[in-house]
Amino acid sequence: MDAFVYTGIASRVVFGAGSLQHLEREIELLGARRALVLCTPGQRDQAERVAAIIGDRAAGIFDQAVMHVPIESAREARAEAQRMGADCAIAIGGGSTTGLGKAIALDSGLPILAIPTTYAGSEMTPIYGITEAGLKKTGKDLRVLPRTVIYDPELTIGLPVGLSITSGLNAMAHAAEGLYAQDTNPIMGLLAEEGLRAMSRALPALKADPADLSARSDALYGAWLCGTVLGNVGMALHHKLCHTLGGSFNLPHAEVHTVVLPHAMAYNTRAVPDVMARIGRAIGSPDDAAGGLFDLAQSQGAPVALRDIGMQEADLDRAADIAVGNPYWNPRPIERTALRQLLQDAWEGKRPKG
Ligand SMILES: NC(=O)C1=CN([C@@H]2O[C@H](COP(=O)(O)OP(=O)(O)OC[C@H]3O[C@@H](n4cnc5c(N)ncnc54)[C@H](OP(=O)(O)O)[C@@H]3O)[C@@H](O)[C@H]2O)C=CC1
Ligand SMILES: O=C(O)/C=C\C(=O)CC(=O)O
């Protein structure tokens, strides 16, 4: 075995159907008295349920979480937390709401309790993102890592199937890239493989029956493991491409991950064949990880072409230029011609072969 460094990042996880009932106990264990509940406008009902459960400990609800955390909403939420005398924040929702909690914590050190209802995985990472004047800045700071995470699969039953599939593939992207990260280690390798296995068996099952609690539990378990990998090791070409396409062309986050992932895997296959074999085995496509990921997305009705999620063909050259500038480390060197072809294939929705 090669030498490696492993740094454990600590957070407390309460997992299982119905675990929202432990919320008050968890707030108490944080040593907090008044919690500001965060959500998007669309998840206001869930936030009200949370506030009802904690009763007097609820300082209020801030329901203005927005994708990619615009600085204005972060400032407003910070001011609201201060005005209400909150000594912790509860983020219930997807990565956008968790991201808002992180923006508050970055500034104030307020402890965050996250209750994820998508599979994006932000709750397990010390990574934050804030958008100012149209530019998203990301960074890492342990202050933003949620102290406690409650994973309650019952809360994800209402997550629309289409979004469940693309969000699940967003999670799988973290695990796939974590397996060949420059700073990967055997512990993250175990989590990544198990996360890929859990998610690839969950997605067809929850597509068949969105209320299947066992499938929803598998998906949330997979999201936890994949998110942990994202929080512990560096990401590569795939995440760089997704951040380029999401940030500069305003494409939807989980869908971009879904479309690009098979192509990024195909790009890297010859550089890391053993890793691709591990990914392939974990998703039940032992000889072709890239093709297997494409088939998984397509068979569950997810988008497989950038042209179907709002990308203009005329913008592919600019996207390639942005992605080759300041690239993340990648196991195969980033070559512009090959990357431009990758983008063309992803735009057309071609099935890649690893
Ligand atoms: N820092 C990190 O480590 C990470 C950050 N991220 C960031 O998180 C964001 C993406 O997260 P993601 O979760 O995909 O996006 P969102 O949090 O924006 O959620 C996506 C959609 O899911 C819907 N939704 C969430 N929960 C439910 C539910 N229980 N029932 C029905 N609908 C629901 C939301 O609807 P509605 O709008 O109505 O609430 C929204 O339309 C991006 O900004 C990304 O950059 C992602 C991964 C890791
Ligand atoms: O951009 C961020 O907020 C930080 C990381 C991610 O979004 C990870 C991802 O691309 O899913």
Side-chain angles (χ1 to χ4, degrees):
M1 183 178 288
D2 294 336
F4 64 89
V5 173
Y6 168 76
T7 308
I9 302 182
S11 65
R12 177 177 164 87
V13 170
V14 181
F15 189 98
S19 49
L20 189 63
Q21 65 179 303
H22 302 305
L23 184 55
E24 201 162 6
R25 177 192 77 194
E26 293 304 319
I27 299 283
E28 206 167 313
L29 283 171
L30 280 176
R33 286 169 296 103
R34 284 176 67 71
L36 178 63
V37 184
L38 309 172
C39 63
T40 56
Q43 304 310 313
R44 174 94 199 181
D45 286 358
Q46 301 244 44
E48 279 172 5
R49 188 170 161 215
V50 160
I53 290 173
I54 59 173
D56 289 350
R57 288 182 197 262
I61 295 176
F62 182 83
D63 67 3
Q64 296 300 311
V66 179
M67 178 87 82
H68 302 312
V69 195
I71 186 78
E72 297 76 17
S73 69
R75 286 192 183 124
E76 224 185 300
R78 287 167 184 163
E80 195 74 346
Q82 213 167 27
R83 196 176 65 74
M84 292 180 164
D87 57 4
C88 92
I90 300 175
I92 179 155
S96 301
T97 307
T98 308
L100 179 62
K102 288 176 164 184
I104 298 176
L106 184 66
D107 180 65
S108 63
L110 226 60
I112 305 300
L113 185 151
I115 309 172
T117 61
T118 71
Y119 309 130
S122 174
E123 67 282 355
M124 295 312 296
T125 85
I127 305 167
Y128 63 88
I130 297 178
T131 303
E132 188 164 11
L135 265 187
K136 182 164 174 176
K137 283 190 202 145
T138 56
K140 264 191 177 185
D141 193 314
L142 275 175
R143 276 180 307 175
V144 310
L145 180 76
R147 303 268 184 92
T148 305
V149 180
I150 296 182
Y151 284 112
D152 186 341
E154 285 177 1
L155 303 176
T156 63
I157 298 281
L159 187 64
V161 169
L163 197 59
S164 301
I165 304 296
T166 54
S167 190
L169 280 149
N170 180 190
M172 291 173 80
H174 308 329
E177 288 226 298
L179 275 164
Y180 55 60
Q182 199 175 20
D183 57 349
T184 195
N185 63 65
I187 311 306
M188 287 306 126
L190 291 172
L191 297 189
E193 284 189 57
E194 176 66 357
L196 287 167
R197 265 194 301 273
M199 197 59 90
S200 59
R201 81 178 165 250
L203 297 185
L206 69 80
K207 161 95 173 160
D209 177 7
D212 178 345
L213 206 50
S214 162
R216 290 292 186 180
S217 297
D218 270 353
L220 215 44
Y221 169 64
W224 167 16
L225 302 185
C226 294
T228 304
V229 175
L230 172 68
N232 277 267
V233 299
M235 296 289 119
L237 170 69
H238 169 77
H239 280 73
K240 174 71 184 185
L241 277 175
C242 291
H243 294 166
T244 300
L245 295 169
S248 302
F249 301 94
N250 205 24
L251 301 192
H253 182 83
E255 285 91 332
V256 169
H257 272 276
T258 299
V259 173
V260 172
L261 183 61
H263 297 277
M265 293 302 110
Y267 185 95
N268 283 332
T269 295
R270 268 181 296 140
V272 280
D274 294 352
V275 170
M276 291 303 157
R278 287 175 80 181
I279 296 171
R281 281 194 299 274
I283 65 166
S285 175
D287 300 324
D288 184 3
L293 286 163
F294 182 92
D295 295 343
L296 176 63
Q298 193 173 46
S299 63
Q300 302 314 314
V304 291
L306 290 177
R307 68 173 156 204
D308 292 339
I309 60 169
M311 185 76 188
Q312 302 302 313
E313 191 172 18
D315 284 332
L316 294 178
D317 277 321
R318 193 156 62 91
D321 289 339
I322 298 173
V324 294
N326 194 18
Y328 299 173
W329 177 89
N330 190 63
R332 172 179 165 190
I334 305 297
E335 300 149 15
R336 192 191 181 283
T337 310
L339 198 64
R340 178 62 180 79
Q341 186 60 50
L342 180 166
L343 286 168
Q344 187 69 37
D345 292 346
W347 188 81
E348 291 174 14
K350 278 192 183 155
R351 183 183 187 278
K353 175 127 181 62

